[in-house]
Amino acid sequence: MTDGLKKKSVKCPQCNHQFQIMGKPGEKKIVTCDHCGLKGYIRFKKTIAEQKTQSSTPSSHSYKDAIQVSHLSKKYKDVIAVDNISFKVKRGEIFGFLGPNGAGKTTTIRTLLGFLKPNAGTALVGGLKINDHLVDIRKKVGYIPGELALYEHLTGKQCLKYFSDIRNTDLSLLNELQTIFELPLDRKIKTYSRGMKQKLGIVQAFMDDPEIVIMDEPTSGLDPLLQQKFYRFLQNEKEKGRTMFFSSHILSEVEKICDRVAIIRKGNIVALERIEDLKKKKGKKIRLKIKESNEKLTSFPNAKQVNGWIEFVTEDHIDETIKKIAKYTIVDLEIQEFSLEDIFIRYYDEGEDN
Amino acid sequence: MQTVSQRILDILRFRIAIQTIKDYWKSTLILTLLFSGMAALYAGMFPAFEEMMVEMGESGALDSFAFIPGYEDMASYVGFLNMEMYQIFWVLILGIIIGFLAASSIAKEIESKTIDILMSNPVSRKQIIIEKFFGLLPMVLIINFVAMLTVMMMTIAIGEDLNFWHLTLTHLISLPYFFSIIAIGLFISTLFDEKMKASVVMMAIVVAMFIFDSIAEMIPDYETLGLISLKHYFKPYNALKLGQIDATGNIILILVTIIALIAAMFYFDWKDITF
């Protein structure tokens, strides 16, 4: 593809004859069927990356990672909200940013978009530094705020028109998004339900065909059916080459749609892994009761006591574990498969103990 | 990446300013009706008050209005208009209202959290301040222009004598006064995250400036106190009666506008937007 030419197979609508044509992305070509002589137009589709290259200078597009956070810290007065975090979001992936409320997810996101100033460290979004290229960054980024607030006195349409006017684009993608999300665009936003507002938030974020979409808990307020629809929509958008950064406190949705996940806890990234690798970290969750006093069981440093039960997680060495606990008089024993949920909780517990 | 000229072109499209104008069109309409109504009322009432004013002037009762420039001339049409309409309704009441609205404009976006979605679009914070400023100007221009026409029509209707050029001049020089109020209001608006707080502080500032200048007018010892009041630089009486404009005063008001805008732009650019 060095010369930018693309091959495309076409099928003549009249005689079903199949043949191949060449053309540049975005080119509109007159094609004549060499079988029956029918003439028609074919437009070569552009990928998002190709579309953007034309509208901006190449330098803004030569970035490797969609988001690159390095040693970012943010304090509010005396409270450290984000503590020296670093991670990268690759282009074209769906990246999950998982953590409970108050872990620093929103702070990180709002720093990336320039609403908050970092106390230390920096980040590149779309290859541009957040310290001095915010307007250019915002051109390539769509954003769904965690606490979504829209201009309630406007109708859905007026609100979208306002944003597309600021972005200096038209509403050409609106029809496509509207068929998916079906919004009452002529009604005032103040009459919208929470789910409708959230859908409008989604539509405005994707409307300008952004390279990167940053979403802060976008599924909050969506009913389960809509959530499923939204997940499918994200998968579809991923196939178009869009990068998506997705924060959530719900593990199951991150597991379902993300390629990689960073787990944030009290302002620190405690894990950053591919979902598949995370799932491979199998192990067993062991719960047992012993006749001896619980304090005597000392060989498992991460063991916890819950309602008289001793609970701990073991990764691979089930044989070793059983032999260790065999020294005690076991009253009751449960061995469970280790779920992703447990991995998640374990990351938190470990942190808590430290 | 954008060049500077592209950025300037982006600002010149004034999308946020246009939306601000749309958002305030109802307020603009109501205020225009209100202030034109007041203008009509005061101008139209003059014939009924004239005799009383003359008597008050002779008995010295007008001296209690000594804090208002041009009070001695209250028995004339020009003096009456200056006192009742321009000094009270224009400088003070319209000043308070415009200051109130300007001070709420940024703070309300933060308070209602719409600032996040607005700023996720390619706009800089400095641009938001500039556009909000321009978005608030038409309100002042429309209220001014319509009220001026109303005074002209009422003057013709009651057959009084008034130099219409002087009247136009009075309204023209009131613009820098209101521009500076809008700019200071915007600056105050960036300092607070709650619109009511910002608005109340701004109202207090406008009232305080009125009081300072009034004290300075009455008590010569406190003359310097008037210098920190914007009202000191807008003297409708001199323009209305004599067609004089205080060039220095107008330049000071324009400078105050620019300085307050720059302060608002830099402070807003610097601050963290937290909820």
Side-chain angles (χ1 to χ4, degrees):
Chain A
M1 232 186 68
T2 42
D3 50 356
L5 280 178
K6 275 191 168 176
K7 233 183 223 179
K8 190 175 181 153
S9 319
V10 287
K11 193 174 176 185
C12 173
Q14 191 166 289
C15 64
N16 285 341
H17 172 63
Q18 281 200 357
F19 56 103
Q20 289 202 323
I21 54 165
M22 302 276 275
K24 282 184 187 149
E27 192 185 334
K28 200 176 172 189
K29 220 170 176 178
I30 303 170
V31 184
T32 317
C33 172
D34 43 306
H35 197 257
C36 66
L38 183 79
K39 271 191 184 180
Y41 289 103
I42 297 285
R43 189 186 280 282
F44 282 85
K45 272 193 184 166
K46 289 188 275 190
T47 62
I48 292 164
E50 283 159 351
Q51 283 175 18
K52 296 285 164 174
T53 327
Q54 287 186 347
S55 56
S56 55
T57 54
S59 67
S60 68
H61 198 67
S62 53
Y63 60 91
K64 202 169 118 243
D65 297 305
I67 299 171
Q68 188 184 337
V69 177
S70 19
H71 306 289
L72 196 75
S73 294
K74 179 67 200 169
K75 271 196 292 192
Y76 298 113
K77 287 182 185 138
D78 298 328
V79 186
I80 299 170
V82 171
D83 189 9
N84 192 22
I85 61 167
S86 301
F87 62 90
K88 284 175 183 173
V89 178
K90 293 176 193 155
R91 280 176 75 172
E93 74 175 344
I94 304 183
F95 187 91
F97 198 47
L98 189 63
N101 297 327
K105 301 188 299 281
T106 301
T107 302
T108 308
I109 287 175
R110 298 187 75 244
T111 310
L112 289 180
L113 287 156
F115 306 150
L116 303 170
K117 316 268 168 191
N119 294 99
T122 186
L124 299 175
V125 178
L128 300 167
K129 223 170 176 187
I130 56 166
N131 310 57
D132 32 41
H133 291 293
L134 282 171
V135 175
D136 293 310
I137 288 172
R138 290 171 190 161
K139 278 205 164 106
K140 346 177 142 191
V141 175
Y143 168 57
I144 306 176
E147 287 189 63
L148 179 68
L150 297 148
Y151 295 100
E152 307 255 323
H153 64 288
L154 301 178
T155 66
K157 183 104 183 197
Q158 285 168 338
C159 188
L160 294 176
K161 180 84 174 57
Y162 178 32
F163 296 145
S164 69
D165 279 346
I166 297 177
R167 285 184 174 267
N168 204 5
T169 51
D170 50 22
L171 293 166
S172 56
L173 277 179
L174 182 60
N175 279 341
E176 192 188 326
L177 292 163
Q178 177 65 357
T179 53
I180 304 170
F181 293 107
E182 297 166 325
L183 281 164
L185 286 176
D186 293 322
R187 262 169 51 188
K188 288 214 163 155
I189 296 174
K190 64 177 149 217
T191 69
Y192 280 23
S193 67
R194 185 145 179 249
M196 284 180 198
K197 284 182 192 165
Q198 196 64 27
K199 286 199 283 184
L200 190 62
I202 297 168
V203 169
Q204 65 80 31
F206 284 89
M207 195 172 58
D208 189 25
D209 200 12
E211 292 165 37
I212 303 162
V213 184
I214 296 177
M215 295 167 267
D216 194 359
E217 306 202 353
T219 52
S220 64
L222 297 181
D223 62 52
L225 269 175
L226 261 169
Q227 284 185 8
Q228 296 306 323
K229 205 180 212 180
F230 180 63
Y231 299 149
R232 282 198 299 277
F233 170 73
L234 290 188
Q235 287 299 343
N236 204 17
E237 290 297 308
K238 189 191 151 191
E239 280 159 27
K240 293 183 192 166
R242 229 184 282 291
T243 309
M244 279 161 288
F245 181 89
F246 183 112
S247 92
S248 175
H249 62 267
I250 304 157
L251 182 77
S252 58
E253 69 176 18
V254 170
E255 185 183 351
K256 201 176 289 174
I257 57 166
C258 294
D259 301 303
R260 290 197 306 146
V261 61
I263 300 178
I264 182 168
R265 185 194 157 272
K266 287 189 179 169
N268 291 290
I269 303 271
V270 289
L272 201 168
E273 283 183 87
R274 290 175 31 164
I275 293 284
E276 286 170 32
D277 294 341
L278 208 56
K279 283 182 185 163
K280 274 184 206 151
K281 282 205 167 172
K282 280 214 171 149
K284 306 280 181 204
K285 189 158 115 183
I286 304 205
R287 296 179 80 215
L288 77 159
K289 275 185 178 168
I290 52 173
K291 206 167 188 180
E292 293 87 349
S293 141
N294 282 349
E295 280 70 34
K296 289 210 170 151
L297 192 115
T298 49
S299 33
F300 304 99
N302 58 359
K304 276 200 317 178
Q305 291 189 41
V306 183
N307 303 329
W309 287 81
I310 300 169
E311 285 187 10
F312 61 90
V313 169
T314 143
E315 269 173 20
D316 301 315
H317 323 287
I318 188 76
D319 182 58
E320 216 174 282
T321 311
I322 297 292
K323 279 174 183 152
K324 272 186 195 166
I325 57 175
K327 283 183 253 169
Y328 306 91
T329 315
I330 296 172
V331 179
D332 205 345
L333 173 68
E334 280 178 11
I335 302 181
Q336 287 169 353
E337 201 60 48
F338 196 39
S339 71
L340 210 51
E341 199 77 49
D342 294 312
I343 300 180
F344 181 48
I345 288 165
R346 195 172 57 138
Y347 276 120
Y348 281 93
D349 285 347
E350 276 174 11
E352 214 68 62
D353 295 338
N354 297 337
Chain B
M1 239 168 284
Q2 250 187 340
T3 60
V4 176
S5 60
Q6 274 176 311
R7 182 69 50 79
I8 290 168
L9 281 178
D10 260 1
I11 295 172
L12 287 179
R13 289 176 29 249
F14 282 128
R15 294 304 178 182
I16 300 171
I18 291 168
Q19 188 61 46
T20 309
I21 296 169
K22 284 185 194 162
D23 290 348
Y24 281 116
W25 80 265
K26 260 188 204 162
S27 314
T28 306
L29 188 72
I30 291 167
L31 288 175
T32 305
L33 287 175
L34 193 73
F35 280 86
S36 305
M38 276 300 160
L41 199 68
Y42 276 118
M45 263 183 350
F46 177 69
F49 274 89
E50 192 172 6
E51 217 166 290
M52 194 178 96
M53 289 295 164
V54 173
E55 275 170 27
M56 277 172 81
E58 281 164 359
S59 68
L62 285 180
D63 293 349
S64 55
F65 294 104
F67 62 93
I68 291 171
Y71 74 97
E72 321 84 79
D73 199 18
M74 213 164 137
S76 78
Y77 183 55
V78 169
F80 184 78
L81 275 185
N82 163 62
M83 172 103 170
E84 297 290 351
M85 180 167 154
Y86 292 103
Q87 293 290 347
I88 304 291
F89 266 87
W90 230 239
V91 174
L92 185 62
I93 298 181
L94 189 56
I96 288 174
I97 293 172
I98 297 295
F100 185 94
L101 293 174
S104 73
S105 62
I106 301 287
K108 86 172 171 201
E109 296 249 12
I110 294 176
E111 188 180 350
S112 69
K113 297 175 182 178
T114 50
I115 193 78
D116 254 36
I117 209 146
L118 175 64
M119 287 202 335
S120 74
N121 291 296
V123 287
S124 69
R125 299 193 197 185
K126 291 193 179 100
Q127 183 183 343
I128 292 176
I129 298 284
I130 297 175
E131 294 212 27
K132 289 277 180 190
F133 177 74
F134 282 105
L136 287 164
L137 295 191
M139 183 189 296
V140 169
L141 294 176
I142 292 168
I143 296 170
N144 246 293
F145 186 70
V146 176
M148 184 183 82
L149 288 185
T150 312
V151 173
M152 284 179 180
M153 283 189 299
M154 281 314 282
T155 306
I156 295 167
I158 61 171
E160 277 295 333
D161 197 23
L162 184 70
N163 185 327
F164 284 172
W165 164 241
H166 291 176
L167 180 71
T168 312
L169 211 58
T170 309
H171 281 269
L172 277 178
I173 61 162
S174 81
L175 294 178
Y177 173 74
F178 289 114
F179 293 172
S180 61
I181 286 191
I182 293 175
I184 293 173
L186 280 171
F187 175 63
I188 298 294
S189 197
T190 61
L191 299 181
F192 296 93
D193 293 345
E194 285 162 56
K195 66 173 180 188
M196 219 42 204
K197 261 190 199 162
S199 289
V200 167
V201 169
M202 187 58 200
M203 279 166 67
I205 289 174
V206 176
V207 173
M209 287 195 300
F210 187 85
I211 293 170
F212 286 167
D213 194 54
S214 301
I215 293 172
E217 286 286 339
M218 283 194 294
I219 311 165
D221 288 351
Y222 288 96
E223 214 171 339
T224 44
L225 198 60
L227 296 179
I228 58 164
S229 169
L230 293 177
K231 171 181 176 287
H232 182 79
Y233 304 101
F234 167 50
K235 295 272 189 299
Y237 181 70
N238 295 352
L240 200 59
K241 175 85 179 177
L242 312 162
Q244 282 174 355
I245 54 169
D246 174 9
T248 326
N250 280 300
I251 290 168
I252 288 172
L253 289 176
I254 289 167
L255 281 177
V256 167
T257 307
I258 293 168
I259 291 166
L261 270 184
I262 291 173
M265 280 159 70
F266 279 90
Y267 183 75
F268 189 49
D269 210 27
W270 173 83
K271 84 176 212 170
D272 273 345
I273 296 173
T274 49
F275 296 145

